[in-house]
């Protein structure tokens, strides 16, 4: 028999046959993680299938089986090649998505200096690389990447190896992930025998006797195995004391595996809380979903559950998951942001105690590894997490829910590119599982597919909270405010509403799409704006650390005293950020307790604490960015103010209007969830814009119809599909040259394939033309199926994104 293995290597496409050594006969099975030899390198791989014949005579053997248990389930093995085809990605590049971090190890090259003398005329990169290896010793390629992030050092290193200045050898880093064990101790005799032993001489000294006697006394009261640390704390004994008792056969010492569980940090689930009574709308939606479990053809059709904010979609998910678990299958609940997982996890833990697992990138490697293993073993039938949780090896998955399915965060914006909403459809069909997409503001494409019958469309038109009505929204024209002499951050309407809210002890949310205190800094004399030297985006001024910061690559610097172009001392900060708005609120309302929630808080892992404090009424005003729009539930909020509603509306991107509409509608939905009701104020300099008008009216249908006409006229999704190709290079001219060459090649491919309905847009610099020191050029293909043109074609160095959610 032969094992057909997919190597864990992003540049290697396909799967290869390997001979199964006789000693492993009967032990090898599909899905196992193994090591094999590939191009004279040892690499990891996953067995895709077993085969009785190989296409070539000379077949290399498997080198090792890393885990007797399969790492991928049979449905995942069937899904992997389809996923690769749909995303134009190699299976080897996709494999790390299925494996917990630390378990998947890529082959690397270890570089070291030789004793050969170096010539004096080295290039700057050669000198930097030689100095690094001299100071740090041998380093792997990925370690050099981190030390020299903006250098193209690989061809330089190969040249230095050829000249004998460096050595290079292939290495496979060892897997350091292991199960966690704790030493336990248990009484090995009856309590009566232990009490008799306590009367005997248990040590050479009286102190040792007292310690060992106290240890036996504690273990008599603890019949189950306990961690030795507990015994140490209770009896003040030492490891030598327990070993002495074990030598007398009075106790048994063992190494016991324990699970690293991230949910241990969450408060215990409330016991005995009955689930709320479903409303008529919720019950109708649940009945329609349960029909899928009585009629398989309905189950195979994805469901779009469209419900206004606070309409009780999560309660429908909970009832549906209960039915799936009752049938012996498992459930996967996806949320768009890590910060939302604790909120969702608590609700599921109350309903399904001991059955819920949490997976996301902020967990430690050990926590993710243990949760992954418990899910694989069927010990956790409910898994909650962001898009990466989609690849959890649940053994019999029956339900996949994507909450807030309109969110762009379901699209992975770095290689390997994939969209969890699209690839989940293929996965659900393979599993014969039910797929539910829930949102108050589904995308234009999702609504269109529901209208065409691709999705079943269910609606929750009313709120289930104390106030069933959506809050009233007021559009404030900031141009009129300026004409009347108001040059402040807040309109008079927002100031008055905020004062009234605080007076009555209620809470308010202020939303804007910028961090920091100023969105850009410029010279008032020559107009030069300070930008990031690596990304060419505006630097944001932060008062808290008195620094200018790039929110793309985290470059930071002090504020210059003079303009770097003209030398003028007139440097001015301009624009609004969360930090500046917080200062204005504190100035106007000194008694207000203020919290900020933005990407900086998320990066510092403070977001969960901030949300907890605000939900528990430990603050009056929450100021934040897009995090506030993502399904958060704050019953005490009666006012939402959007400081500048049109931000992002005029980007050169076909999806800009949709993004702004969704953000505004979602953030407005945070208000008025209590019987006291609520209000929303949108401040804008463009109150006549149709996106803002529809968002203020919270009219999803009106926006959808207007946007659909625009998309049809421009030929954008859902009336076509897009494919985006991007090339990055440190040299601007080289990036442009490569983009022009590929564009010419694509035109010839289109002509050969007679794909007259597919058009090429570009090449052109991306809107954000430089990121992390690299210049970006892009080509966009638009047509019925532009991906078909590139299948089977290698495009080294290019980032290929099927169905992108942004063209910026």
């Amino acid at each position: 028999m032969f094992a057909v293995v997919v190597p864990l290597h992003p540049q290697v496409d396909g799967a290869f046959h390997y001979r199964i050594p006789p000693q492993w006969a009967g032990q090898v099975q599909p899905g196992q993680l193994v090591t094999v030899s590939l191009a004279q390198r040892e690499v990891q791989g996953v067995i895709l299938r077993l085969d009785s014949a190989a296409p070539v005579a000379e077949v290399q053997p498997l080198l090792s089986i890393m885990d007797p248990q399969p790492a991928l389930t049979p449905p995942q093995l069937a899904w992997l090649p389809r996923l690769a085809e749909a995303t134009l990605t190699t299976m080897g590049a996709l494999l790390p998505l299925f494996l917990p971090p630390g378990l998947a190890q890529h082959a690397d090259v270890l570089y070291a200096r030789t004793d050969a003398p170096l010539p004096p005329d080295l290039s700057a990169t050669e000198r930097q690389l030689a100095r690094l290896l001299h100071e740090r010793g041998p380093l792997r390629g990925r370690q050099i990447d981190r030390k020299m992030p903006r250098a193209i050092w690989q061809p330089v290193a190969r040249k230095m190896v050829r000249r004998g200045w460096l050595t290079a050898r292939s290495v496979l880093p060892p897997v350091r992930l292991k199960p966690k064990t704790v030493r336990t101790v248990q009484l090995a005799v009856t309590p009566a025998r232990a009490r008799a032993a306590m009367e005997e001489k248990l040590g050479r000294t009286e102190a040792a006797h007292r310690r060992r006697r106290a240890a036996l006394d504690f273990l008599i009261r603890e019949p189950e195995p306990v961690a030795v640390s507990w015994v140490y704390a209770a009896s003040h004994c030492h490891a030598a004391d327990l070993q002495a008792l074990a030598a007398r056969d009075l106790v048994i010492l063992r190494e016991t595996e324990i699970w690293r569980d991230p949910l241990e940090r969450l408060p215990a689930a409330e016991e005995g809380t009955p689930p709320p009574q479903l409303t008529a709308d919720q019950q109708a939606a649940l009945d329609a979903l349960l029909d899928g479990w009585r009629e398989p053809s309905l189950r195979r059709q994805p469901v779009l559950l469209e419900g206004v904010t606070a309409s009780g979609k999560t309660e429908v998910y909970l009832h549906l998951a209960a039915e799936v678990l009752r049938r012996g299958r498992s459930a996967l609940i996806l949320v768009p942001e890590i910060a939302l997982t604790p909120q969702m996890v608590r609700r599921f833990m109350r309903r399904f105690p001991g059955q819920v697992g949490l997976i996301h990138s902020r967990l430690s490697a050990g926590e993710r590894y243990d949760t992954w293993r418990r899910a694989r073993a069927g010990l956790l039938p409910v898994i909650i997490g962001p898009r990466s949780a989609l690849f959890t090896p649940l053994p019999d998955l029956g339900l996949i829910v994507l909450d807030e399915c309109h969110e762009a965060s379901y699209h992975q914006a770095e290689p390997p590119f994939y969209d969890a909403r699209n690839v989940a459809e293929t996965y659900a069909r393979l599993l014969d599982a039910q797929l539910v997409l829930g949102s108050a503001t589904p995308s234009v494409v999702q609504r269109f597919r529901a209208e065409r019958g691709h999705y079943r469309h269910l609606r929750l038109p009313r709120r289930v909270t104390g106030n069933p009505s959506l809050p009233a929204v007021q559009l404030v024209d900031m141009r009129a405010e300026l004409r009347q002499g108001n040059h402040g951050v807040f309109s008079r309407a927002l100031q008055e509403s905020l004062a009234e809210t605080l007076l009555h002890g209620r809470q308010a949310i202020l939303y804007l799409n910028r961090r920091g205190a100023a969105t850009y800094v410029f010279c008032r004399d020559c107009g030069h704006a300070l930008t990031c030297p690596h990304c060419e985006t505006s630097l944001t001024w932060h008062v808290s650390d008195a620094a200018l910061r790039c929110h793309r690559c985290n470059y930071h610097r002090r504020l210059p005293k003079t303009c770097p172009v003209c030398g003028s001392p007139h440097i001015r900060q301009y624009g609004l950020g969360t930090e500046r708005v917080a200062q204005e609120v504190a100035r106007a309302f000194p008694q207000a307790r203020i919290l900020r929630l933005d990407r900086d808080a998320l990066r510092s892992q403070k977001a969960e604490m901030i949300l907890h404090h605000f939900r528990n009424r430990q603050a009056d005003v929450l100021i934040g960015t897009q995090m506030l729009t993502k399904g958060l539930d704050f019953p005490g909020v009666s006012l939402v103010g959007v400081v500048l509603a049109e931000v992002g509306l005029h980007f050169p991107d076909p999806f800009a209007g949709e993004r702004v509409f969704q953000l505004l509608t979602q953030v407005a939905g945070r208000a008025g969830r209590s019987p006291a009701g609520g209000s929303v104020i949108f401040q804008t300099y463009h109150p006549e814009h149709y996106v803002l008008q529809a968002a203020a009216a919270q009219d999803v249908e009106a926006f959808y119809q207007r946007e659909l006409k625009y998309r049809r006229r421009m030929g954008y999704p859902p009336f076509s599909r897009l494919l985006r190709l991007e090339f990055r290079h440190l040299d601007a001219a080289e990036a442009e040259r490569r983009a022009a060459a590929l564009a010419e090649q694509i035109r010839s491919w289109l002509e050969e394939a007679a794909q007259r309905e597919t058009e090429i847009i570009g090449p052109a610099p991306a809107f954000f033309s430089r990121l992390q020191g690299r210049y970006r050029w892009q080509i966009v293909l638009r047509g019925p199926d532009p991906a078909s043109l590139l299948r089977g074609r290698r495009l080294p160095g290019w980032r290929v994104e099927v169905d992108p959610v942004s063209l910026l």
Side-chain angles (χ1 to χ4, degrees):
M1 294 294 292
F2 298 89
V4 182
V5 176
V6 177
L8 204 157
H9 195 296
Q11 275 79 49
V12 176
D13 201 4
F16 304 91
H17 284 71
Y18 288 87
R19 178 168 44 82
I20 300 175
Q23 66 269 27
W24 294 339
Q27 301 178 38
V28 176
Q29 54 183 313
Q32 284 177 322
L33 188 63
V34 297
T35 60
V36 296
S37 179
L38 180 72
Q40 299 180 341
R41 292 185 178 187
E42 183 179 351
V43 300
Q44 288 183 341
V46 168
I47 299 176
L48 189 63
R49 65 181 187 274
L50 301 182
D51 209 339
S52 59
V56 294
E58 293 294 326
V59 180
Q60 297 186 58
L62 296 177
L63 299 180
S64 72
I65 301 174
M66 302 188 65
D67 187 344
Q69 297 296 317
L72 273 66
T73 64
Q76 287 180 319
L77 292 173
W79 184 32
L80 178 61
R82 301 187 191 194
L83 186 59
E85 182 181 12
T87 59
L88 299 181
T89 308
T90 66
M91 289 190 287
L94 293 168
L95 269 183
L97 298 173
F98 294 84
L99 302 171
L103 185 60
Q105 295 293 333
H106 290 274
D108 208 340
V109 178
L110 185 70
Y111 293 93
R113 278 282 307 273
T114 67
D115 295 330
L118 300 175
D121 57 342
L122 291 176
S123 68
T125 303
E126 288 172 333
R127 282 196 303 271
Q128 185 182 2
L129 183 57
R131 187 184 312 115
L132 177 65
L133 294 174
H134 174 73
E135 293 172 353
R136 301 296 301 273
L139 292 175
R140 297 194 302 272
R142 282 188 287 277
Q143 293 173 315
I144 299 174
D145 279 336
R146 290 193 290 271
K147 297 295 181 182
M148 301 171 60
R150 296 184 178 91
I152 302 178
W153 61 268
Q154 292 88 346
V156 173
R158 289 193 290 270
K159 171 187 168 185
M160 296 177 75
V161 170
R162 287 194 302 269
R163 297 193 174 182
W165 301 336
L166 301 181
T167 61
R169 65 181 179 87
S170 174
V171 292
L172 182 64
V175 174
R176 291 188 169 87
L177 276 180
K178 293 181 180 178
K180 184 177 181 179
T181 59
V182 64
R183 206 170 193 202
T184 62
V185 60
Q186 183 180 17
L187 208 60
V189 296
T190 64
R193 172 70 185 90
R195 290 190 185 94
M198 290 165 62
E199 302 303 321
E200 303 170 5
K201 186 69 172 175
L202 294 175
R204 294 180 180 179
T205 66
E206 185 60 30
H209 173 74
R210 283 197 304 272
R211 292 194 306 268
R212 294 167 190 179
R213 181 178 178 179
L216 286 176
D217 185 54
F218 176 81
L219 292 172
I220 288 171
R221 290 179 274 114
E222 295 286 344
E224 297 298 320
V226 296
V228 294
S229 57
W230 289 20
V231 186
Y232 297 157
S235 66
H236 304 290
C237 72
H238 310 144
D241 296 320
L242 294 182
Q243 289 168 356
L245 293 175
R248 291 170 175 253
D249 294 327
L250 294 174
V251 301
I252 301 172
L253 290 168
R254 296 190 184 94
E255 291 290 331
T256 303
E257 182 180 350
I258 59 170
W259 298 115
R260 289 160 287 200
D261 187 359
L263 298 185
E264 288 179 348
R265 297 194 292 265
L266 291 179
E270 300 170 17
E271 297 291 338
T273 305
Q277 184 73 30
L278 293 181
T279 65
D281 292 333
Q282 286 175 309
Q283 189 63 56
L286 178 62
D287 290 343
L289 288 166
L290 293 177
D291 285 343
W293 292 94
R294 291 184 283 270
E295 175 53 56
S297 63
L298 289 177
R299 184 166 68 250
R300 297 187 189 103
Q301 187 178 17
V303 175
L304 177 62
L305 179 60
E306 183 179 352
V308 298
T309 54
S311 59
K313 293 183 289 293
T314 303
E315 193 59 39
V316 174
Y317 304 154
L318 285 160
H319 279 74
L320 185 58
E323 174 62 20
V324 171
L325 265 62
R326 189 186 69 79
R327 292 173 176 268
R329 302 187 71 177
S330 52
L332 179 62
I333 314 297
L334 301 186
V335 294
E337 285 285 349
I338 293 170
L340 295 183
T341 48
Q343 174 180 302
M344 185 72 77
V345 163
R346 286 188 181 95
R347 295 191 65 175
F348 273 81
M349 284 176 66
R350 283 197 291 270
R351 203 67 58 87
F352 309 110
Q355 301 180 74
V356 179
L358 175 63
I359 286 183
H360 60 67
S361 61
R362 291 269 163 78
L363 303 180
S364 70
E367 288 171 334
R368 289 189 73 174
Y369 179 55
D370 282 1
T371 304
W372 179 84
R373 289 194 301 135
R374 292 166 73 193
R376 179 178 66 172
L379 302 177
L380 295 174
V382 179
I383 292 293
I384 300 174
R387 62 174 182 266
S388 60
L390 181 62
F391 302 95
T392 307
L394 289 162
D396 191 7
L397 186 55
L399 172 66
I400 303 174
V401 172
L402 284 88
D403 192 33
E404 306 294 342
C405 65
H406 63 280
E407 284 285 352
S409 53
Y410 282 119
H411 181 91
Q412 176 148 307
E414 288 295 325
F417 298 106
Y418 70 92
D419 194 305
R421 295 162 292 200
N422 296 337
V423 300
E425 288 192 37
T426 308
Y427 192 29
R429 282 195 296 272
L430 285 168
L431 294 160
D432 191 26
Q434 192 166 46
L435 176 64
V436 179
L437 308 169
S439 175
T441 54
S443 71
V444 169
V445 172
Q446 289 163 347
R447 282 284 302 267
F448 187 81
R449 299 185 84 186
E451 284 186 354
R452 295 300 187 274
H454 183 80
Y455 297 154
R456 281 198 293 155
H457 197 177
L458 306 178
R459 288 183 169 88
L460 296 174
R462 286 172 285 272
R463 286 185 159 188
V464 298
T465 52
N467 191 334
S469 302
L470 291 170
V473 180
Q474 179 183 357
L475 267 176
V476 176
D477 188 345
M478 294 301 287
R479 297 170 300 187
E481 294 285 319
L482 286 174
R483 287 194 295 269
Q484 294 169 16
N486 180 10
H487 297 275
V489 172
F490 305 126
S491 63
R492 286 167 300 172
L494 185 52
Q495 290 182 62
E496 292 167 3
S497 296
L498 190 55
E500 183 180 358
T501 299
L502 295 173
L503 179 66
H504 290 90
R506 298 173 188 146
Q507 291 178 296
I509 284 176
L510 298 179
Y511 167 78
L512 70 164
N513 203 17
R514 290 288 186 267
R515 291 168 281 179
T519 53
Y520 69 96
V521 178
F522 72 103
C523 172
R524 284 183 292 175
D525 288 341
C526 74
H528 172 72
L530 297 179
T531 59
C532 172
H534 311 303
C535 301
E536 293 187 353
T537 55
S538 297
L539 293 172
T540 299
W541 169 245
H542 286 257
V543 175
S544 57
D545 55 0
L548 292 165
R549 189 173 297 276
C550 173
H551 286 143
R552 288 189 171 271
C553 71
N554 206 33
Y555 166 84
H556 55 277
R557 59 161 294 175
R558 294 292 177 185
L559 182 69
K561 294 181 180 179
T562 59
C563 173
V565 173
C566 71
S568 167
H570 301 130
I571 302 291
R572 180 185 177 188
Q573 299 96 27
Y574 186 79
L576 278 175
T578 53
E579 197 173 346
R580 165 83 185 282
V581 171
Q583 292 171 351
E584 294 294 327
V585 174
R587 186 178 296 117
F589 305 99
Q591 79 283 6
R593 298 169 297 171
I594 303 167
L595 289 172
R596 285 172 47 219
L597 180 68
D598 52 27
R599 283 283 173 187
D600 297 327
L602 191 63
R603 187 178 290 128
S604 63
Q605 301 187 26
K606 294 179 181 177
E608 186 179 340
M609 179 183 66
I610 292 169
L611 293 173
H612 176 74
H613 288 333
F614 192 67
R615 194 174 288 111
N616 289 341
R617 310 293 293 269
Q618 294 172 272
D620 306 305
V621 182
L622 180 60
I623 301 168
T625 55
Q626 293 184 18
M627 284 298 303
L628 296 178
T629 69
K630 301 180 187 295
L632 298 167
D633 184 18
F634 301 121
V637 171
S638 62
L639 171 67
V640 166
V642 178
V643 177
L644 202 57
E646 67 267 23
V647 169
L649 197 56
H650 303 293
F651 277 133
D653 183 74
F655 311 110
E658 180 176 73
R659 277 196 298 270
V660 172
F661 174 79
Q662 290 168 337
L663 287 169
L664 295 178
T665 305
Q666 289 285 342
V667 77
R670 304 311 115 204
R673 298 190 175 205
S674 72
S679 61
V680 180
I681 295 174
F682 291 170
Q683 297 185 165
T684 176
Y685 290 93
H686 299 277
E688 65 282 352
H689 198 286
Y690 79 93
V691 169
L692 304 184
Q693 291 283 337
Q698 299 186 63
D699 192 339
V700 176
E701 187 64 31
F703 169 78
Y704 170 69
Q705 295 299 338
R706 177 74 177 264
E707 188 74 4
L708 201 63
K709 290 179 182 177
Y710 161 73
R711 301 275 185 94
R712 182 181 285 111
R713 187 174 72 251
M714 301 300 293
Y716 283 120
F719 303 102
S720 69
R721 295 184 67 183
L722 301 178
L723 185 143
R724 179 174 172 272
L725 300 112
E726 181 192 325
F727 188 79
R728 299 183 180 187
H729 202 276
L730 289 168
D731 182 74
E734 178 64 12
E736 181 178 3
R737 187 190 68 78
R738 293 284 294 272
L742 181 62
E744 191 60 35
Q745 179 67 74
I746 289 175
R747 291 188 186 97
S748 68
W749 290 339
L750 287 171
E751 190 173 334
E752 290 170 10
Q755 290 195 16
R756 296 179 179 84
E757 294 182 347
T758 299
E759 60 179 314
I760 180 171
I761 304 171
F767 179 77
F768 298 108
S769 60
R770 195 179 182 207
L771 289 179
Q772 297 179 337
R774 285 172 165 78
Y775 294 90
R776 305 167 69 227
W777 277 71
Q778 68 180 23
I779 299 169
V780 176
L781 299 181
R782 177 171 60 188
D785 184 17
S788 63
L789 183 72
L790 301 182
R791 286 201 177 94
R793 303 186 193 273
R794 296 293 305 278
L795 300 175
W798 282 86
R799 300 156 66 97
V800 182
E801 195 174 359
V802 179
D803 297 323
V805 297
S806 170
L807 298 183
L808 299 177

